[in-house]
Amino acid sequence: MFVQLIEGTTADAAGLRRQLDRWRQDIWPDAQGFLGATLGFTDAGQVIDIARFESEEAARANSERAQQSDWWAETEKYFDGDVTFTESTDVEELRGGGSNDARFVQVMKSSGVDRDRIHAFDEALEQYLDLRPEVLGGLRIWTGDDRCVEVIYFTDEDEARQGESREMPPDVQAAFEEYQDLMAGVEFLDLKDPWLL
């Protein structure tokens, strides 16, 4: 899997959504190798788009299409300032990956992460997620040796907040708290009305 993370800010979320709807209708049908996307807006106007492709080659071929280029040239006008692109083929699926049934998505950007220790805690994380039925799945995207972006898909925000406060068995709680310590310095982006393909 090849992932493109596209980030920026906007003061015109409605206009950007119209562009997304146009992409879905006019460009998506011919986008070869496109697996799906998760896009949303935070309350502060941040925008993040996680686009998934079968391969880097498929993503490049899609970007080079005139129709895609013309659409992006127009879409870019809806962003305030620069747009950043981060790419990765180092992607791990959590509980089967993302879900288009989600009504709330939380993106967590971390740096200074010890990858080996995180992987050692993945079994404990799975146990924790098994006790959180509102978690539909997730992705862990490595964007550097010690940097990653985790994308967690929830049934909805209310159930996610309730799940956060749910009491866990002591062993699972202790393991998860240590896992959280490993992910210190996380930037949270809450996408309350995600656009999912």
Side-chain angles (χ1 to χ4, degrees):
M1 185 188 301
F2 177 75
V3 171
Q4 288 181 331
L5 296 166
I6 304 165
E7 299 176 76
T9 60
T10 185
D12 188 0
L16 194 49
R17 279 190 178 275
R18 286 194 300 272
Q19 284 297 105
L20 295 172
D21 288 337
R22 187 183 142 218
W23 188 91
R24 187 195 323 237
Q25 179 178 334
D26 298 339
I27 300 173
W28 182 21
D30 297 320
Q32 296 184 6
F34 176 74
L35 299 177
T38 299
L39 184 142
F41 309 88
T42 69
D43 290 342
Q46 294 166 281
V47 183
I48 186 163
D49 179 14
I50 301 112
R52 307 182 309 279
F53 294 86
E54 290 176 356
S55 66
E56 183 174 356
E57 292 75 20
R60 300 281 179 248
N62 184 63
S63 296
E64 291 169 2
R65 294 164 56 216
Q67 192 178 22
Q68 174 73 25
S69 297
D70 292 345
W71 174 84
W72 176 250
E74 183 63 28
T75 301
E76 199 171 17
K77 298 173 184 176
Y78 290 89
F79 286 89
D80 303 328
D82 294 335
V83 180
T84 63
F85 292 81
T86 307
E87 299 176 339
S88 177
T89 56
D90 194 355
V91 182
E92 302 167 11
E93 294 184 326
L94 308 173
R95 289 187 87 178
S99 173
N100 287 351
D101 294 327
R103 295 294 171 265
F104 176 64
V105 174
Q106 193 166 68
V107 178
M108 293 164 283
K109 300 172 62 178
S110 304
S111 60
V113 178
D114 185 325
R115 184 189 291 229
D116 291 337
R117 290 188 67 200
I118 288 295
H119 286 158
F121 275 91
D122 275 350
E123 185 176 343
L125 179 62
E126 285 296 324
Q127 291 178 331
Y128 175 78
L129 293 177
D130 286 342
L131 298 170
R132 297 282 305 271
E134 76 282 4
V135 178
L136 300 175
L139 298 170
R140 181 185 293 140
I141 305 158
W142 291 95
T143 59
D145 290 340
D146 66 349
R147 299 189 310 276
C148 70
V149 177
E150 287 193 359
V151 188
I152 307 298
Y153 297 76
F154 296 89
T155 51
D156 64 40
E157 185 178 9
D158 288 344
E159 292 183 357
R161 300 307 181 198
Q162 291 170 15
E164 288 173 358
S165 60
R166 190 175 297 131
E167 187 172 344
M168 296 287 147
D171 58 332
V172 176
Q173 185 66 34
F176 186 70
E177 287 175 358
E178 188 168 351
Y179 176 85
Q180 287 181 306
D181 288 341
L182 293 177
M183 302 288 280
V186 177
E187 177 187 1
F188 289 88
L189 304 176
D190 290 345
L191 311 182
K192 299 180 179 181
D193 185 19
W195 187 86
L196 303 165
L197 280 179

